[in-house]
Amino acid sequence: MTVFQSPLSILYDTHAIPILLHLDGCGACTKSDIYREVGHNANMPRKLESLADSGLIEMEPKGDGRTTMVLLTDMGGRVVKLLRDIEYILSGQ
């Protein structure tokens, strides 16, 4: 089986696009908010790390370090804008 690797492959992961769209709608939020609103499974921390490693999101510890804030980077915002454009095109408007 051939696996296609490209910068787009970060978006192939389950929940990657919903996480980005959620962050676009809420701005900065906690990891717990993402788990509650988007989905919670054992792989979510790894998915967030992958999005951070790719430069689409930033994660910043807050307070005593038990809370982590997650926010879109400038690049993540540009990707979300393109996703919203695709959504608009596919909706036929």
PDB file of all heavy atoms in Angstrom, residues 50-73:
ATOM      1  N   SER A  50       0.499  17.120  17.047  1.00  0.00           N
ATOM      2  CA  SER A  50       0.785  17.111  15.610  1.00  0.00           C
ATOM      3  C   SER A  50       0.408  18.440  14.964  1.00  0.00           C
ATOM      4  O   SER A  50       1.152  18.964  14.135  1.00  0.00           O
ATOM      5  CB  SER A  50       0.025  15.975  14.915  1.00  0.00           C
ATOM      6  OG  SER A  50       0.512  14.731  15.326  1.00  0.00           O
ATOM      7  N   LEU A  51      -0.749  18.977  15.350  1.00  0.00           N
ATOM      8  CA  LEU A  51      -1.162  20.281  14.817  1.00  0.00           C
ATOM      9  C   LEU A  51      -0.199  21.379  15.269  1.00  0.00           C
ATOM     10  O   LEU A  51       0.119  22.283  14.499  1.00  0.00           O
ATOM     11  CB  LEU A  51      -2.592  20.602  15.250  1.00  0.00           C
ATOM     12  CG  LEU A  51      -3.694  19.777  14.579  1.00  0.00           C
ATOM     13  CD1 LEU A  51      -5.025  20.002  15.287  1.00  0.00           C
ATOM     14  CD2 LEU A  51      -3.802  20.107  13.106  1.00  0.00           C
ATOM     15  N   ALA A  52       0.280  21.282  16.499  1.00  0.00           N
ATOM     16  CA  ALA A  52       1.256  22.257  16.987  1.00  0.00           C
ATOM     17  C   ALA A  52       2.589  22.103  16.264  1.00  0.00           C
ATOM     18  O   ALA A  52       3.200  23.096  15.850  1.00  0.00           O
ATOM     19  CB  ALA A  52       1.441  22.102  18.498  1.00  0.00           C
ATOM     20  N   ASP A  53       3.040  20.851  16.086  1.00  0.00           N
ATOM     21  CA  ASP A  53       4.306  20.605  15.382  1.00  0.00           C
ATOM     22  C   ASP A  53       4.266  21.111  13.944  1.00  0.00           C
ATOM     23  O   ASP A  53       5.279  21.532  13.404  1.00  0.00           O
ATOM     24  CB  ASP A  53       4.658  19.114  15.392  1.00  0.00           C
ATOM     25  CG  ASP A  53       5.036  18.606  16.770  1.00  0.00           C
ATOM     26  OD1 ASP A  53       5.294  19.425  17.684  1.00  0.00           O
ATOM     27  OD2 ASP A  53       5.051  17.369  16.948  1.00  0.00           O
ATOM     28  N   SER A  54       3.073  21.080  13.339  1.00  0.00           N
ATOM     29  CA  SER A  54       2.938  21.545  11.957  1.00  0.00           C
ATOM     30  C   SER A  54       2.820  23.069  11.871  1.00  0.00           C
ATOM     31  O   SER A  54       2.816  23.627  10.772  1.00  0.00           O
ATOM     32  CB  SER A  54       1.726  20.893  11.296  1.00  0.00           C
ATOM     33  OG  SER A  54       0.539  21.419  11.839  1.00  0.00           O
ATOM     34  N   GLY A  55       2.681  23.734  13.012  1.00  0.00           N
ATOM     35  CA  GLY A  55       2.600  25.193  13.022  1.00  0.00           C
ATOM     36  C   GLY A  55       1.194  25.750  12.882  1.00  0.00           C
ATOM     37  O   GLY A  55       1.023  26.963  12.709  1.00  0.00           O
ATOM     38  N   LEU A  56       0.171  24.890  12.973  1.00  0.00           N
ATOM     39  CA  LEU A  56      -1.203  25.355  12.808  1.00  0.00           C
ATOM     40  C   LEU A  56      -1.816  25.876  14.099  1.00  0.00           C
ATOM     41  O   LEU A  56      -2.714  26.724  14.061  1.00  0.00           O
ATOM     42  CB  LEU A  56      -2.075  24.247  12.222  1.00  0.00           C
ATOM     43  CG  LEU A  56      -1.680  23.791  10.817  1.00  0.00           C
ATOM     44  CD1 LEU A  56      -2.497  22.576  10.408  1.00  0.00           C
ATOM     45  CD2 LEU A  56      -1.846  24.915   9.826  1.00  0.00           C
ATOM     46  N   ILE A  57      -1.369  25.347  15.240  1.00  0.00           N
ATOM     47  CA  ILE A  57      -1.870  25.801  16.533  1.00  0.00           C
ATOM     48  C   ILE A  57      -0.696  26.036  17.472  1.00  0.00           C
ATOM     49  O   ILE A  57       0.419  25.556  17.227  1.00  0.00           O
ATOM     50  CB  ILE A  57      -2.869  24.804  17.184  1.00  0.00           C
ATOM     51  CG1 ILE A  57      -2.169  23.496  17.550  1.00  0.00           C
ATOM     52  CG2 ILE A  57      -4.073  24.570  16.287  1.00  0.00           C
ATOM     53  CD1 ILE A  57      -3.008  22.565  18.420  1.00  0.00           C
ATOM     54  N   GLU A  58      -0.973  26.761  18.539  1.00  0.00           N
ATOM     55  CA  GLU A  58      -0.021  26.924  19.636  1.00  0.00           C
ATOM     56  C   GLU A  58      -0.700  26.451  20.906  1.00  0.00           C
ATOM     57  O   GLU A  58      -1.908  26.608  21.069  1.00  0.00           O
ATOM     58  CB  GLU A  58       0.366  28.390  19.821  1.00  0.00           C
ATOM     59  CG  GLU A  58       1.223  28.946  18.727  1.00  0.00           C
ATOM     60  CD  GLU A  58       1.593  30.409  18.978  1.00  0.00           C
ATOM     61  OE1 GLU A  58       1.255  30.954  20.052  1.00  0.00           O
ATOM     62  OE2 GLU A  58       2.209  30.984  18.079  1.00  0.00           O
ATOM     63  N   MET A  59       0.094  25.870  21.797  1.00  0.00           N
ATOM     64  CA  MET A  59      -0.414  25.471  23.103  1.00  0.00           C
ATOM     65  C   MET A  59       0.436  26.168  24.157  1.00  0.00           C
ATOM     66  O   MET A  59       1.663  26.077  24.125  1.00  0.00           O
ATOM     67  CB  MET A  59      -0.371  23.954  23.260  1.00  0.00           C
ATOM     68  CG  MET A  59      -1.318  23.241  22.311  1.00  0.00           C
ATOM     69  SD  MET A  59      -1.512  21.491  22.634  1.00  0.00           S
ATOM     70  CE  MET A  59       0.074  20.870  22.097  1.00  0.00           C
ATOM     71  N   GLU A  60      -0.240  26.877  25.061  1.00  0.00           N
ATOM     72  CA  GLU A  60       0.442  27.662  26.081  1.00  0.00           C
ATOM     73  C   GLU A  60      -0.071  27.266  27.461  1.00  0.00           C
ATOM     74  O   GLU A  60      -1.273  27.357  27.714  1.00  0.00           O
ATOM     75  CB  GLU A  60       0.176  29.150  25.874  1.00  0.00           C
ATOM     76  CG  GLU A  60       0.627  29.677  24.541  1.00  0.00           C
ATOM     77  CD  GLU A  60       0.222  31.132  24.320  1.00  0.00           C
ATOM     78  OE1 GLU A  60      -0.546  31.687  25.130  1.00  0.00           O
ATOM     79  OE2 GLU A  60       0.688  31.697  23.325  1.00  0.00           O
ATOM     80  N   PRO A  61       0.838  26.837  28.354  1.00  0.00           N
ATOM     81  CA  PRO A  61       0.400  26.544  29.727  1.00  0.00           C
ATOM     82  C   PRO A  61      -0.049  27.840  30.418  1.00  0.00           C
ATOM     83  O   PRO A  61       0.511  28.906  30.175  1.00  0.00           O
ATOM     84  CB  PRO A  61       1.630  25.967  30.406  1.00  0.00           C
ATOM     85  CG  PRO A  61       2.744  26.060  29.429  1.00  0.00           C
ATOM     86  CD  PRO A  61       2.239  26.600  28.143  1.00  0.00           C
ATOM     87  N   LYS A  62      -1.065  27.732  31.242  1.00  0.00           N
ATOM     88  CA  LYS A  62      -1.579  28.887  31.980  1.00  0.00           C
ATOM     89  C   LYS A  62      -1.598  28.571  33.466  1.00  0.00           C
ATOM     90  O   LYS A  62      -1.737  27.411  33.864  1.00  0.00           O
ATOM     91  CB  LYS A  62      -3.003  29.242  31.532  1.00  0.00           C
ATOM     92  CG  LYS A  62      -3.066  29.809  30.144  1.00  0.00           C
ATOM     93  CD  LYS A  62      -2.399  31.162  30.102  1.00  0.00           C
ATOM     94  CE  LYS A  62      -2.476  31.737  28.709  1.00  0.00           C
ATOM     95  NZ  LYS A  62      -1.791  32.971  28.547  1.00  0.00           N
ATOM     96  N   GLY A  63      -1.490  29.607  34.262  1.00  0.00           N
ATOM     97  CA  GLY A  63      -1.597  29.464  35.714  1.00  0.00           C
ATOM     98  C   GLY A  63      -0.565  28.519  36.277  1.00  0.00           C
ATOM     99  O   GLY A  63       0.629  28.668  36.031  1.00  0.00           O
ATOM    100  N   ASP A  64      -1.035  27.518  37.000  1.00  0.00           N
ATOM    101  CA  ASP A  64      -0.136  26.576  37.664  1.00  0.00           C
ATOM    102  C   ASP A  64       0.351  25.463  36.739  1.00  0.00           C
ATOM    103  O   ASP A  64       0.989  24.516  37.182  1.00  0.00           O
ATOM    104  CB  ASP A  64      -0.810  25.972  38.888  1.00  0.00           C
ATOM    105  CG  ASP A  64      -2.068  25.184  38.547  1.00  0.00           C
ATOM    106  OD1 ASP A  64      -2.387  25.050  37.353  1.00  0.00           O
ATOM    107  OD2 ASP A  64      -2.740  24.715  39.477  1.00  0.00           O
ATOM    108  N   GLY A  65       0.044  25.554  35.449  1.00  0.00           N
ATOM    109  CA  GLY A  65       0.502  24.560  34.476  1.00  0.00           C
ATOM    110  C   GLY A  65      -0.457  23.407  34.249  1.00  0.00           C
ATOM    111  O   GLY A  65      -0.226  22.570  33.393  1.00  0.00           O
ATOM    112  N   ARG A  66      -1.546  23.369  35.014  1.00  0.00           N
ATOM    113  CA  ARG A  66      -2.518  22.291  34.813  1.00  0.00           C
ATOM    114  C   ARG A  66      -3.495  22.606  33.693  1.00  0.00           C
ATOM    115  O   ARG A  66      -4.203  21.726  33.228  1.00  0.00           O
ATOM    116  CB  ARG A  66      -3.288  22.011  36.100  1.00  0.00           C
ATOM    117  CG  ARG A  66      -2.408  21.403  37.179  1.00  0.00           C
ATOM    118  CD  ARG A  66      -3.211  20.983  38.358  1.00  0.00           C
ATOM    119  NE  ARG A  66      -3.775  22.169  39.002  1.00  0.00           N
ATOM    120  CZ  ARG A  66      -4.676  22.124  39.966  1.00  0.00           C
ATOM    121  NH1 ARG A  66      -5.141  20.979  40.396  1.00  0.00           N
ATOM    122  NH2 ARG A  66      -5.125  23.236  40.506  1.00  0.00           N
ATOM    123  N   THR A  67      -3.530  23.856  33.258  1.00  0.00           N
ATOM    124  CA  THR A  67      -4.410  24.272  32.168  1.00  0.00           C
ATOM    125  C   THR A  67      -3.547  24.662  30.979  1.00  0.00           C
ATOM    126  O   THR A  67      -2.561  25.375  31.124  1.00  0.00           O
ATOM    127  CB  THR A  67      -5.269  25.479  32.600  1.00  0.00           C
ATOM    128  OG1 THR A  67      -6.043  25.107  33.731  1.00  0.00           O
ATOM    129  CG2 THR A  67      -6.176  25.935  31.475  1.00  0.00           C
ATOM    130  N   THR A  68      -3.926  24.177  29.812  1.00  0.00           N
ATOM    131  CA  THR A  68      -3.231  24.536  28.584  1.00  0.00           C
ATOM    132  C   THR A  68      -4.203  25.206  27.647  1.00  0.00           C
ATOM    133  O   THR A  68      -5.259  24.653  27.328  1.00  0.00           O
ATOM    134  CB  THR A  68      -2.624  23.296  27.899  1.00  0.00           C
ATOM    135  OG1 THR A  68      -1.733  22.655  28.811  1.00  0.00           O
ATOM    136  CG2 THR A  68      -1.894  23.662  26.623  1.00  0.00           C
ATOM    137  N   MET A  69      -3.844  26.417  27.227  1.00  0.00           N
ATOM    138  CA  MET A  69      -4.649  27.149  26.259  1.00  0.00           C
ATOM    139  C   MET A  69      -4.194  26.768  24.855  1.00  0.00           C
ATOM    140  O   MET A  69      -3.001  26.598  24.601  1.00  0.00           O
ATOM    141  CB  MET A  69      -4.499  28.657  26.450  1.00  0.00           C
ATOM    142  CG  MET A  69      -4.975  29.156  27.800  1.00  0.00           C
ATOM    143  SD  MET A  69      -6.699  28.778  28.165  1.00  0.00           S
ATOM    144  CE  MET A  69      -7.535  29.776  26.945  1.00  0.00           C
ATOM    145  N   VAL A  70      -5.144  26.625  23.957  1.00  0.00           N
ATOM    146  CA  VAL A  70      -4.868  26.254  22.566  1.00  0.00           C
ATOM    147  C   VAL A  70      -5.419  27.371  21.684  1.00  0.00           C
ATOM    148  O   VAL A  70      -6.543  27.831  21.885  1.00  0.00           O
ATOM    149  CB  VAL A  70      -5.536  24.909  22.208  1.00  0.00           C
ATOM    150  CG1 VAL A  70      -5.182  24.488  20.795  1.00  0.00           C
ATOM    151  CG2 VAL A  70      -5.159  23.828  23.211  1.00  0.00           C
ATOM    152  N   LEU A  71      -4.622  27.807  20.706  1.00  0.00           N
ATOM    153  CA  LEU A  71      -5.068  28.858  19.794  1.00  0.00           C
ATOM    154  C   LEU A  71      -4.476  28.648  18.412  1.00  0.00           C
ATOM    155  O   LEU A  71      -3.446  27.985  18.255  1.00  0.00           O
ATOM    156  CB  LEU A  71      -4.687  30.236  20.334  1.00  0.00           C
ATOM    157  CG  LEU A  71      -3.214  30.479  20.599  1.00  0.00           C
ATOM    158  CD1 LEU A  71      -2.844  31.880  20.137  1.00  0.00           C
ATOM    159  CD2 LEU A  71      -2.932  30.334  22.072  1.00  0.00           C
ATOM    160  N   LEU A  72      -5.153  29.197  17.427  1.00  0.00           N
ATOM    161  CA  LEU A  72      -4.663  29.134  16.052  1.00  0.00           C
ATOM    162  C   LEU A  72      -3.461  30.047  15.882  1.00  0.00           C
ATOM    163  O   LEU A  72      -3.420  31.145  16.443  1.00  0.00           O
ATOM    164  CB  LEU A  72      -5.739  29.595  15.068  1.00  0.00           C
ATOM    165  CG  LEU A  72      -6.902  28.675  14.783  1.00  0.00           C
ATOM    166  CD1 LEU A  72      -7.928  29.391  13.912  1.00  0.00           C
ATOM    167  CD2 LEU A  72      -6.450  27.390  14.122  1.00  0.00           C
ATOM    168  N   THR A  73      -2.506  29.614  15.086  1.00  0.00           N
ATOM    169  CA  THR A  73      -1.423  30.496  14.669  1.00  0.00           C
ATOM    170  C   THR A  73      -1.912  31.284  13.452  1.00  0.00           C
ATOM    171  O   THR A  73      -3.007  31.033  12.928  1.00  0.00           O
ATOM    172  CB  THR A  73      -0.187  29.686  14.269  1.00  0.00           C
ATOM    173  OG1 THR A  73      -0.530  28.847  13.159  1.00  0.00           O
ATOM    174  CG2 THR A  73       0.334  28.844  15.432  1.00  0.00           C
TER     175      THR A  73
END
